Every structure is written in C-alpha cells, then in structure tokens.
Amino acid sequence: MTLYRATFLHTPGNPFHDTHALQIEQDGGLLVRNGRIIQSGSYADVRAAHPAEPVEDLRGGLLLPGFVDTHVHFPQVRIIGGLGVPLLDWLDRYALPEEARFGDPTHAAAVAREFVSGLTRSGTTTALVFGSHFASAVDLLFQETERAGLRTVAGQVVSDRLLRPELHTTPELAYSEGKALIEKWHGKGRTRYAVTPRFSLSASEGILDACAALLSEFPDVHFTSHSNENLKEVETVRGLFPESRDYIDTYERAGLLNRRSVLAHNVHMTERELGALAAHKCTSAHCPCSNAALGSGFFPLKQHLAAGVHVSLGTDVGGGTGFSMLKEGLQAYFMQQLLGENGVPLEPAHLLYLATRAGAEALEMEGQIGDFSAGKAFDATLFRPQDGSTMQTVLAHAPSAERALASLFAGGTQADVARVWIEGEGVYTRPELSERAAVSA
Ligand code: GUN
Ligand code: ZN
C-alpha cells in the first residue's frame, strides 16, 4: 500500500448540474492498494486511519485524475499542424495520404509508439482512439497500448467510398476483420473495442449494417464516428442518404446509437439530432482545437446541455493541434467566451470535469475511473512545473488550488507533466525527475 500526499482536485460530481462538484484537498491523502484507491480525503484523516503505511510525498504540484481523451486518431500523429484548409481538403491533402501508409507494419508500429507516448506524457490515461483502416495496424496499436498500460478503447476504421482505394473495405471484410479484433482484444486487460465507421460520407448503408451486426453480436463493445463537423460534409451526407432525416439519422436508422456511442464534433446540429443523441444516451465529443483549426465552427454547448446530451472532450489529433487536454479545455473555454450570450461560461470545475470524469462517463467507466473517490483506480497525473518556468511562478503564487487549476488550464503544457500513473503503475516520469531520484538513491 502507498499513501500519496498531494494537493489534489477532482470532480466526483457534474459541475453542469451541481455547484459543489469540484472537490479540493489542499493537503490530501490517497491510500492506494493494488492500483485502487482505498481511502480518499485530507492527509490528516487518511494518515490517522493508516499510521504505518509508507507515504509518497507529491506536494509542490497539482495531482489530477488522469485525462480521458474521447476522440483522437492513432495514424495522424505525424501530420499534426496541417493548418489552413477545411475538413474535406484537409483529409485529401494531409490525413488520407498518411493513413494509406499504415498497411506497412514497420510504419504502423513506429507511429503506435509515438502515439501512445504522446498520450501518456500529456497526462492522458484513457483514450477512445480512432484506429487505422488496416486491421494489422490496429493489432499493432493494441499491442503497444497493452505494453504501455494505457487504458484504451479503439477499433478498426471502416469505409467503402469516397476516400482512396487503399482505405476502402467491403461490408463482409469490415465484419470479419472487426469480429477477429474484438475476439482477440475486447475485454483483455485495459483494452476495449469500438466499432468505428469513419463517417457517413465514406460509408455505404452496407458498411453501417456490418457495424450494426458487430454491435448486436457483441453488445458491450463501443461505437464511435464523426458527425456534423463541416457544412460541406453535412451537405454531401444529405445527398448520399436521401432516406435519412439528417446526419445523425444515418447512424440512428442503422441501429448504431446507444449508451456507449460517442460521436465527435456535432457542430452543426438540428434540434431533432440533439434530441436523438439525448434519447439514445450518446456522448458528443467536443474537439474545440480541431473545430477552430479546420474552421469547422462553434460547438453548440448550450444547446447540447439544454437538450440533455452528454458532452466530453477530445483532442482530435491530427485535425486537433496536439495531445494536451489542458489546451483542449482552454480552447473550449475560449470558444464559449467568444459566443457571448450563446456560450456557456466555463469555470475550472467544468474544464476538469470535461477532461476527466465526463470522458469516463462517455465510456461507461465512471465506476472505475474519472475521479479520486474510494474504489476508483489510481489513474493520476502530477503536474509540477519545471524549476524556473513561468508556470512554476504562477502556481507558487496562486491564491487557492482552484485558481491554480485555472492557471494550469491557461498555461500548462506537456512540459509540466511530472508523473503519470495508471491503476497505480507509473507509466511516465519526467526524465529530469528520474535522474534526480537516481542521484539521490
Ligand atoms: N471526418 C472524417 N475523418 C475525419 C478525420 O480524420 N478528422 C476529422 N477531424 N474529421 C473527420
Ligand atoms: Zn476526428
């Protein structure tokens, strides 16, 4: 057992409904056994109950629950930063040529390492990942997430039109390759499977039916796709599915929407579509950096909340600008500010919730992860800025832990991540800190 002593903040509740959702322990204690939190509270209380357990002193930083990135693309790490073009041009110019290379296992394995390391060193401990169109590359991705210990929900991306021939499959292959990957990986350790048609624009009804067949055969797998991101995309989908009421209906009619369905973007939504997402208990993964970078539009958060649609956060690497969920939270804040009366003023509690517990809820993992309550896995990130950095100055002078949290969202980066744990296992330590530990040992 280990008793971690730290300033910690978490959101066991939902700050969009509950004004006391943010819990702060300025001098907190988390007692962890076999990767689970046994007791959570003030250091004094936990210490009094467990006077003999060894203490790990993490003071001098902020300990947060590990981030949950609910929309991120494995094969797009190397093309982050394709700025200046809207979605469909960006796909043609940057994303699809790179994704076509993933039939090569050497390339896929190298990028899988870069991808998983990018997530963990940014403080992300769970991710819903858009895989590759190549089943072999998805298998390599799962091998790497398993090796690194990352909590992962991912799947093979399937499409059968309008991309490029190397990336097209057939309904039969989509079903059989998906089934083989599910049987090999779903429920193995920290790995789960998500059925993943790329978007309705590149999917025939046959592909969506193959996806539905996998969901009915394996009812606890997840579902993810894109929706309503860009106006030209929405218009094209309307033409391709004349029988559908709207974009969301292309998935709804196929039987793909349920409690474990996560749809990314949802920028251009009708009332009916928001109502459908709420009725099926789906999650809308908000990707504000990507929405700004590709000029997709302003996410209608207020309308999502009014309709009762659950919202989480995703980086959407490589349409997004990097793996930082802090930056994503800040960008969500910016966009809502710019919306004025049509925006939702986001406070630090909302940003932390969106980056952690909301994602756990999206993946139906809120019983296991997302906050530091007793019974949860110890998935955690310690933010401790480097000596001499501006962030260190700002945090040292923050008048409260809540202000420090706001400052961390405003200015924190990968460089401020000191240590990351998943289920109590250390998965990342900033090199300079492990060197220091080696010197003092
Ligand atoms: N829609 C279909 N594919 C993609 C993708 O790779 N990124 C984004 N942002 N939107 C998409
Ligand atoms: Zn995406």
Side-chain angles (χ1 to χ4, degrees):
M1 285 215 275
T2 306
L3 172 49
Y4 292 100
R5 182 175 193 178
T7 298
F8 71 78
L9 303 93
H10 65 144
T11 50
N14 180 340
F16 290 107
H17 302 143
D18 167 8
T19 47
H20 302 292
L22 177 65
Q23 289 190 8
I24 300 173
E25 291 291 349
Q26 185 68 45
D27 185 9
L30 292 168
L31 185 71
V32 175
R33 184 175 61 206
N34 296 330
R36 311 254 132 225
I37 299 166
I38 306 295
Q39 197 183 345
S40 167
S42 72
Y43 175 74
D45 286 352
V46 181
R47 190 62 179 154
H50 298 273
E53 301 308 332
V55 175
E56 247 210 83
D57 195 341
L58 306 176
R59 285 177 296 173
L62 292 181
L63 188 72
L64 304 182
F67 292 140
V68 182
D69 184 342
T70 57
H71 187 69
V72 58
H73 293 254
F74 150 50
Q76 296 180 3
V77 190
R78 294 189 181 184
I79 52 123
I80 290 170
L83 303 178
V85 279
L87 174 68
L88 300 178
D89 299 319
W90 177 85
L91 283 170
D92 284 340
R93 194 178 304 174
Y94 299 113
L96 302 181
E98 169 66 7
E99 294 200 29
R101 301 176 65 195
F102 282 69
D104 169 6
T106 309
H107 183 74
V111 178
R113 287 190 293 276
E114 295 159 1
F115 176 74
V116 173
S117 145
L119 287 167
T120 52
R121 64 172 56 220
S122 301
T124 294
T125 53
T126 300
L128 172 58
V129 179
F130 247 73
S132 163
H133 288 270
F134 298 93
S136 53
V138 178
D139 191 71
L140 287 165
L141 170 68
F142 281 136
Q143 288 179 38
E144 179 59 20
T145 60
E146 183 178 56
R147 192 200 58 73
L150 184 74
R151 220 180 272 284
T152 307
V153 185
Q156 179 183 21
V157 183
V158 293
S159 288
D160 64 349
R161 63 179 172 195
L162 296 174
L163 297 182
R164 45 164 69 206
E166 314 91 288
L167 301 180
H168 292 161
T169 184
T170 61
E172 294 72 26
L173 254 187
Y175 171 79
S176 62
E177 291 185 335
K179 184 176 161 106
L181 284 166
I182 291 169
E183 287 173 339
K184 179 167 179 191
W185 289 105
H186 182 63
K188 185 165 185 248
R190 298 180 194 142
T191 308
R192 299 181 63 81
Y193 195 83
V195 170
T196 311
R198 186 164 195 130
F199 58 162
S200 288
L201 190 147
S202 67
S204 68
E205 281 180 20
I207 281 283
L208 297 180
D209 289 344
C211 291
L214 289 171
L215 286 186
S216 48
E217 194 168 337
F218 303 96
D220 67 336
V221 301
H222 300 252
F223 173 80
T224 193
S225 193
H226 295 97
S227 128
N228 286 296
E229 179 175 2
N230 164 287
L231 287 172
K232 198 164 158 194
E233 169 211 16
V234 175
E235 200 49 51
T236 310
V237 168
R238 202 192 314 279
L240 290 168
F241 289 86
E243 314 273 273
S244 288
R245 288 169 286 184
D246 43 49
Y247 201 138
I248 288 295
D249 196 34
T250 61
Y251 302 124
E252 193 177 6
R253 296 158 65 89
L256 297 170
L257 301 187
N258 65 45
R259 167 70 180 84
R260 284 173 305 288
S261 303
V262 177
L263 290 157
H265 299 290
N266 296 317
V267 171
H268 307 287
M269 297 294 276
T270 64
E271 282 297 317
R272 198 212 75 79
E273 290 176 294
L274 287 166
L277 291 187
H280 292 287
K281 301 187 165 51
C282 304
T283 293
S284 197
H286 177 26
C287 307
C289 286
S290 167
N291 292 345
L294 301 178
S296 303
F298 284 90
F299 181 71
L301 178 58
K302 199 173 191 177
Q303 290 80 351
H304 274 73
L305 296 175
V309 181
H310 182 61
V311 176
S312 61
L313 212 51
T315 59
D316 196 26
V317 158
T321 58
F323 289 109
S324 172
M325 291 289 281
L326 293 174
K327 182 164 65 168
E328 219 55 59
L330 180 67
Q331 185 70 23
Y333 167 84
F334 283 158
M335 305 281 269
Q336 294 304 310
Q337 286 294 109
L338 290 170
L339 277 168
E341 294 210 331
N342 290 321
V344 180
L346 295 174
E347 295 181 2
H350 298 112
L351 304 186
L352 182 61
Y353 167 77
L354 285 168
T356 57
R357 188 174 162 104
E361 291 168 350
L363 302 175
E364 221 175 22
M365 292 183 184
E366 69 276 12
Q368 299 149 258
I369 57 162
D371 63 70
F372 288 139
S373 307
K376 300 284 165 78
F378 185 65
D379 286 17
T381 299
L382 178 67
F383 287 92
R384 186 186 280 159
Q386 285 169 318
D387 291 345
S389 65
T390 302
M391 191 42 61
Q392 186 190 44
T393 305
V394 174
L395 293 192
H397 294 280
S400 67
E402 188 172 2
R403 296 316 310 156
L405 180 65
S407 299
L408 189 67
F409 271 103
T413 69
Q414 206 174 58
D416 301 306
V417 174
R419 293 177 64 182
V420 183
W421 297 258
I422 300 177
E423 223 169 316
E425 255 178 69
V427 296
Y428 175 72
T429 300
R430 199 161 67 213
E432 128 230 350
L433 298 173
S434 41
E435 281 154 24
R436 228 181 263 170
V439 169
S440 62

